[in-house]
């Protein structure tokens, strides 16, 4: 399940963009476990501001944007793990690397002076998911600027958060391998034994 806005009514979720336009920010809790351990299901508060005011030059790696998924229209809050150019995409194999197109690791263009190229594609994945999504800039609605775990504010510019993000994204291959092994062993006697000792 993705970290989506927790509103059951389509009319209210459609108002997210309206609230961002009028108020300049959107405050909510999230629903789902796709951004664990950073965001807990219906327990933590997020503050999102319009992407145009937070990142006018385009998103950077490790930003957490709010975007509208093209396939089902859901609002999703996941992390940018890469920035690519769609002109190098062939569908099955992905896209050319950031360096092939003169992009910095933060995802800003070197030569365009604040312009987001039309063929930019953000590689986005929840902290607790294993499949990336490829999102166009026009799908991005806002960017996470504040986060509260209960009453405690998480400083998104502080070193503990930055260290967490880099460690979490860097450890993805190992976490993905563990997830695959766990799924592979789930139906075996070893998997049954593991579930018994964890209880």
């Amino acid at each position: 399940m993705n970290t989506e806005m927790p509103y059951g009514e389509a009319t209210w979720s459609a108002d997210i963009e309206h609230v961002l336009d009028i108020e300049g920010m959107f405050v909510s809790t999230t629903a789902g476990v796709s951004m664990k351990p950073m965001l807990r299901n219906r327990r933590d508060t997020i503050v999102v501001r319009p992407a145009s005011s937070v990142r006018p030059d385009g998103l950077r790696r490790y930003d957490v944007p709010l975007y509208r998924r093209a396939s089902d229209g859901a609002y999703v809050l996941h992390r940018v793990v890469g920035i690519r150019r769609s002109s190098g995409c062939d569908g099955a194999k992905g896209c050319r690397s950031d360096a092939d197109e003169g992009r910095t690791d933060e995802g800003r263009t070197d030569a365009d002076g604040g312009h987001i190229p039309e063929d930019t594609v953000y590689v986005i994945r929840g902290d607790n998911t294993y499949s990336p999504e490829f999102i166009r800039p026009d799908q991005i609605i806002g960017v996470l600027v504040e986060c509260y775990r209960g009453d405690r504010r998480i400083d998104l510019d502080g070193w503990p958060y930055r260290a967490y993000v880099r460690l979490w994204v860097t450890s993805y291959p190992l976490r993905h391998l563990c997830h695959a092994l766990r799924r592979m062993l789930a139906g075996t006697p070893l998997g049954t034994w593991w579930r018994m000792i964890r209880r």
Side-chain angles (χ1 to χ4, degrees), residues 17-89:
E17 293 174 66
H18 180 70
V19 169
L20 279 169
D21 286 341
I22 301 300
E23 302 293 330
M25 75 169 150
F26 179 75
V27 180
S28 178
T29 57
T30 57
V33 296
S34 65
M35 281 299 287
K36 280 181 75 176
M38 181 181 149
L39 296 173
R40 302 168 299 175
N41 185 29
R42 299 186 190 272
R43 293 173 60 193
D44 299 322
T45 303
I46 58 164
V47 178
V48 174
R49 292 197 181 272
S52 58
S53 66
V54 177
R55 296 280 190 239
D57 296 342
L59 297 178
R60 299 177 183 175
R61 190 170 186 215
Y62 307 131
D63 279 347
V64 180
L66 173 66
Y67 60 95
R68 191 169 204 167
R69 190 181 285 140
S71 60
D72 60 6
Y75 289 97
V76 182
L77 190 75
H78 282 172
R79 187 177 309 284
V80 175
V81 295
I83 302 164
R84 299 181 177 173
R85 302 292 285 273
S86 63
S87 59
C89 294

Side-chain angles (χ1 to χ4, degrees), residues 172-198:
Y172 169 76
L174 179 61
R175 291 184 295 108
H176 188 268
L177 176 64
C178 291
H179 176 73
L181 286 173
R182 206 167 41 238
R183 288 185 62 178
M184 186 175 69
L185 294 175
T188 67
L190 186 58
T192 304
W193 174 79
W194 177 250
R195 281 191 304 276
M196 286 173 48
I197 64 169
R198 285 182 61 193

